[in-house]
Amino acid sequence: MTSIHIIVFLPLLAALIAGLGQRFIGAVAAKTITTAGLFTACLLSWPIFISFLTGDEKAYVQPVMTWVQSGALSFNWELRVDALTAVMLVVITTVSALVHLYSWGYMEEDPDQPRFFAYLSLFTFAMLMLVTANNLVQMFFGWEGVGLASYLLIGFWYKKPSANAAAIKAFVVNRVGDLGFMLGIFGVFWLFGTVSIPDILAAAPDKVGSSIGFLGYRVDTMSLLCVLLFIGAMGKSAQLGLHTWLPDAMEGPTPVSALIHAATMVTAGVFMVCRLSPLFETSQFALDVVTIVGATTAIFAATVGLVQTDIKRVIAYSTCSQLGYMFFAAGTGAYGAAMFHLFTHAFFKALLFLGAGSVIHAMHHEQDMRYYGGLRKHIPLTFWAMMAGTLAITGVGIVGVGGFAGFYSKDAIIEAAFASSSTYHMYGFAIGVVAALLTSFYSWRLMFLTFFGKPRWAGSEHIQHAVHDDHHHGDDHAHHGGHADHGDGTAGYHPHESPLPMLIPLAVLTLGAVFAGFLFHGAFIEAETGKEFWANSTLYFNEHLMHAMHEVPLWVKLSSTVAMLVGLSVAYLMYQRSEDAPQKLATMFAPLYRFFLNKWYFDELYNLIFVRPAFWFGRLFWQQGDIGIIDRFGPNGSAAVVSFTSRMAVRLQSGYLYTYALVMLLGLVAAVSWMMVKA
Amino acid sequence: MNAAALPIISIMLAIPMVAAIACLFVRAETARVLALGATLLNLLLGAWLWVSYDPAGAQWQFVESLQLFGPIGWKLGIDGISLTLIMLSVFLMPICIGASWHAIDKRVGEYMAAFLLMETLMIGVFAAQDLLLFYIFFEAGLIPMYLIIGIWGGAERIYASYKFFLYTLLGSVVMLIAMLWMIQTAGTADIPTLLNTDFPVEAQKWLWLAFFASFAVKMPMWPVHTWLPDAHVQAPTAGSVILAGVLLKMGGYGFLRFSLPMFPEASADFIPLVFGLSMVAVVYTSLVALVQSDMKKLIAYSSVAHMAIVTVGLFTFNQQGIEGAIIVMLSHGLVSGALFLCVGVIYDRLHTREISRYGGLSINMPKYALLFMLFTMASVGLPGTSGFVGEFLSLAGAYKVSTWATLIATTGIILGAGYMLYLYLRIAFGEQKNADAAAMSDIDGREMWLLAPIAAAVLWMGVYPESFLAPIRRDVATIVERIERAAPAGDSKLKANDPTTAKYRVGGHGEEKNKAEGSHH
């Protein structure tokens, strides 16, 4: 029993106790056990990370138990710990512990809290199994385990039809990606004779130059396998085409969005590509696919994020877009930068989500930013936390001096894309800069709409309900039949700052959003120190690229800062100076606005070509196929058969059953004996 | 290993048989207790069988031989494959008796007798070492099932039982003729001997098709599957459990015991047929399952889709595929049995199978919702449950033979998630829109005793399948070795240094990027 065993299995144990034993131990105990379990795991994880940072620790694998041995195919339960795992360990356990704590406040009024905490801990266990996997199948176990937890948590409020629909959608869309992942594992096994990750990575270079059959075609072996595996990554990390589940996943409680749909699970795809980076390095085609998909997702999601009005959906599209950054960083060979952005993003995006949760909590479950405004003075601590998150995501900083977390990681990605010699690196670079502008715009738009200007709360039904309930015994008449107007847009509502369990996580994550980039950029992306750090992992660290990244022209280094400033200015002009500018623009570019607002019509398209035909074919096969053809020409076919039926029916009813059965059995035996004797 | 001293398999066949006869003459309460006692005793004997079976020992263990009248010999014996399927049967039987405890209140003695007779016949099928003895067990198994559906079934039971009977009997007539020909040609009905008999390649084809006619119906494979939904819908809960749990496994067992090792060349020739039908079945029946409004029909159709994975796995001609297929059979036996029990639990309370009459059961039946979720996830093939191990191994094996078949069959993981989660949503989630469904009580102690052991087995098989893989490993290897000479080449052959795909390679860019290929210094 080493500390890695405790880190991984303590959350599982806590989940089982809280989930199955809630009736006996009560809600408070269930919450305490899960939260304490996660804080313990977190405290044990940081020393592992630090010992890899200082170079004291080398990669190792801890066996747990046999899993499957089938011929040459064998894979066991094992825990792999290396620098890459260590990074993920601290991300997962830190954010998860803070989210557990935060939920004490956020979920306080929910009657079903033990179940919620059990799911959170179960998720953490699955995620830890994913990042400690030493073979592809255990990775797949974690992959599906987090999918299950995500499904359960998105649908946590299972009375809501929209939450249930979103949960199923998340699971099924992810399974489309899993189809690719599974085929990838099969292909890897038959090619290398193993599913052990280090063995595959070691053997991969030998297969460069070979071709393999697939669906009747002859294709480049390594390209095929990498692309199949990458399809799995696309599903989990919500990349273009398989992204449709992520915005809907916001139906889940906000702490879930912060933990699963921002900091950890959705980054599993990026982690997979980095874990298998030596494999991806054997195929330029696969790297090009990763670059193009990542960059296109970055710009797609950013455009949709521009026009959303639901605060959580803005952040969800922002996540989708940032994941795109991570992927094209990997595609251009800058895996260290991809992992660095994953790391910083986990802190500032969890911060933004939890901050949004605090706003939603204060605004009585109103999520529409059109009904926010002027909240800065009412919930100042939340405001400053969100400000730190926004400064981090938009990458505020001064070249050569320093800045917030996103400044280090995002600039590294953009500069590496420019410096790379990969086929589509300039596509990545151009999109990286444009998307940075859009990121800045939608992030500041969120801040301006929420915290600045005048309150617009009176239009919100949630706020009206809240006020109405408060004043229930008072001036009933004033509130009757609609929106009371106190003249200041507040409807007489007073938002309150969130309780301490919610503010502490915000404070800790604020520290992360401010300092994570400054503190850790050496280990993640600097050519010399990075090489030492990543040497203890499977991540392929391209130190030439990291050197070249520093040699890029000054305009490249400044480009993202300029983009950030432009985005900020436009947002300021539109949402602070002239209040009707957004309206005018929306009218002026109506088709484009509708296109973005409707998320490029992906949901409509998928409904049309997948969901509805599935049901239509289902009915066709059942009514026309089974009943109309097979039964009609089969068992119901001839008149003789029909009369046989009725005769049988009569016998059954008249109680000749046993006679019949006995006759049949004896007849059978007799027939056989007779034929044998004759033979 | 005192197999010679104690004819344990004969005892396991005799116990339920004797109890069955006794049940006919006692009162209802006594019959229930008697049946439960007999099946539990058989479960204990089964456990003893499992423990004392030596995976490294002789291929056939606990062998008994006694020449009966004429050409039929009382020859019994098991290998690891038989062992696991017998374990499945004796494990599910007490659960079936328990599931019928209150649900069956007319002609209880006869009902219990039918089930006990069924147990004898099921064990007989998996233990028979004589071709004709096998045939008798195999076909006689129809009779008790036919009675269970026809007497204790639902409103349409007559049509359903007739359809069930007609389908399965027609297939078996052809098989009987083939068997007689084989016995005549080989001069013996001894299965171990026949397993090493090489029939002429031309004759193999006809023999294979004759066996296929029977096994394909039993599986059931598309398009001879339409008896299954009707039979399930009309059967009482325990009837569905045993039908899905064990009877459907006889087709797969038949393919494995006879078709593959006795007719290797023909089996290889018919791979396109088997894979083709299986591919259709996965997509077709999954989509049909999606639009069902009757719970039992939905699960019945999902069974057809799952059994298609078994047929794909069996005809891969490799260790992974065949071991996977066996694990799918065991897993499906547990999981679909449990799902039918879950249906039975709420059917007993509300007396309807209409999905739309339920809803929001998580609120008033939390324990039920949890167990139902576990079995739903196992059916979907979530890793960590039994469903995953079998599905993964079968499909992994299939990849070597045909990437097309693997791609299509693997879409089952998407479609399966679709129809199962949609079912779960309509039953357990949402508002409590039906007052009578909202008033139902959570599962009681008896129901917990039925479901919890299956839940434990499902997780055990998912996390540590070695317990189930170890006994079958050597026997599967024997089959693979036997059929190797006919094994298909597959469509994913590797070709080294193929210039046609050179442009996709990193090496083609002239830049040294590969860590393992060179140094950067």
Side-chain angles (χ1 to χ4, degrees), chain A residues 342-531:
Chain A
L342 187 161
F343 183 76
T344 60
H345 175 261
F347 294 109
F348 63 69
K349 189 53 67 69
L351 173 63
L352 285 170
F353 261 122
L354 294 184
S358 182
V359 173
I360 294 166
H361 190 259
M363 292 301 281
H364 212 263
H365 299 290
E366 178 56 73
Q367 296 187 194
D368 194 327
M369 297 189 298
R370 286 172 298 185
Y371 304 128
Y372 289 173
L375 283 168
R376 185 185 38 176
K377 297 191 196 80
H378 298 272
I379 44 174
L381 297 175
T382 304
F383 165 69
W384 284 110
M386 290 284 278
M387 180 58 87
T390 304
L391 293 172
I393 191 176
T394 55
V396 172
I398 301 167
V399 175
V401 180
F404 290 89
F407 169 74
Y408 291 92
S409 56
K410 192 188 284 184
D411 279 21
I413 289 176
I414 291 172
E415 286 160 22
F418 183 86
S420 166
S421 55
S422 183
T423 327
Y424 295 96
H425 70 111
M426 285 310 280
Y427 178 70
F429 169 71
I431 285 200
V433 174
V434 177
L437 193 158
L438 301 180
T439 306
S440 170
F441 175 81
Y442 66 65
S443 302
W444 286 109
R445 171 176 174 265
L446 184 154
M447 289 301 285
F448 289 136
L449 282 174
T450 306
F451 293 106
F452 292 85
K454 292 198 179 66
R456 299 179 299 277
W457 316 338
S460 158
E461 284 183 19
H462 293 267
I463 297 294
Q464 289 292 347
H465 276 297
V467 173
H468 192 80
D469 289 347
D470 282 351
H471 294 244
H472 210 276
H473 302 291
D475 47 351
D476 247 353
H477 290 285
H479 296 284
H480 239 285
H483 302 165
D485 193 0
H486 281 238
D488 55 0
T490 63
Y493 183 73
H494 303 288
H496 291 292
E497 188 58 273
S498 298
L500 210 54
M502 292 169 70
L503 292 177
I504 294 170
L506 289 181
V508 176
L509 290 170
T510 301
L511 292 179
V514 176
F515 297 113
F518 168 72
L519 284 177
F520 298 108
H521 71 101
F524 280 88
I525 51 171
E526 294 305 327
E528 302 305 324
T529 42
K531 189 179 158 233

Side-chain angles (χ1 to χ4, degrees), chain A residues 190 211 540 626 631 635 641, chain B residues 162 226 301 323 396 495 498 513:
Chain A
W190 288 111
S211 73
Y540 167 59
D626 271 21
D631 278 356
V641 164
Chain B
Y162 136 74
T226 63
Y301 274 109
E323 285 184 0
K495 201 154 101 189
D498 190 338
K513 271 176 134 190

Side-chain angles (χ1 to χ4, degrees), chain A residues 33 67 69 78 86 151 192 220 267 283 285 287 342 393 414 452 464 476 500 504 528 534 576 636 667:
Chain A
I33 287 169
W67 190 7
Q69 312 277 339
E78 332 169 273
Y151 161 80
F192 298 111
D220 182 57
T267 62
S283 165
F285 178 76
L287 288 175
L342 187 161
I393 191 176
I414 291 172
F452 292 85
Q464 289 292 347
D476 247 353
L500 210 54
I504 294 170
E528 302 305 324
W534 293 120
Q576 281 300 98
N636 306 354

Side-chain angles (χ1 to χ4, degrees), chain B residues 260 264-265 317 400 477-488:
Chain B
L260 281 169
E265 279 80 12
F317 283 63
K400 193 177 184 213
T478 309
I479 294 173
V480 171
E481 204 177 310
R482 161 104 181 124
I483 61 183
E484 204 168 26
R485 60 172 197 249

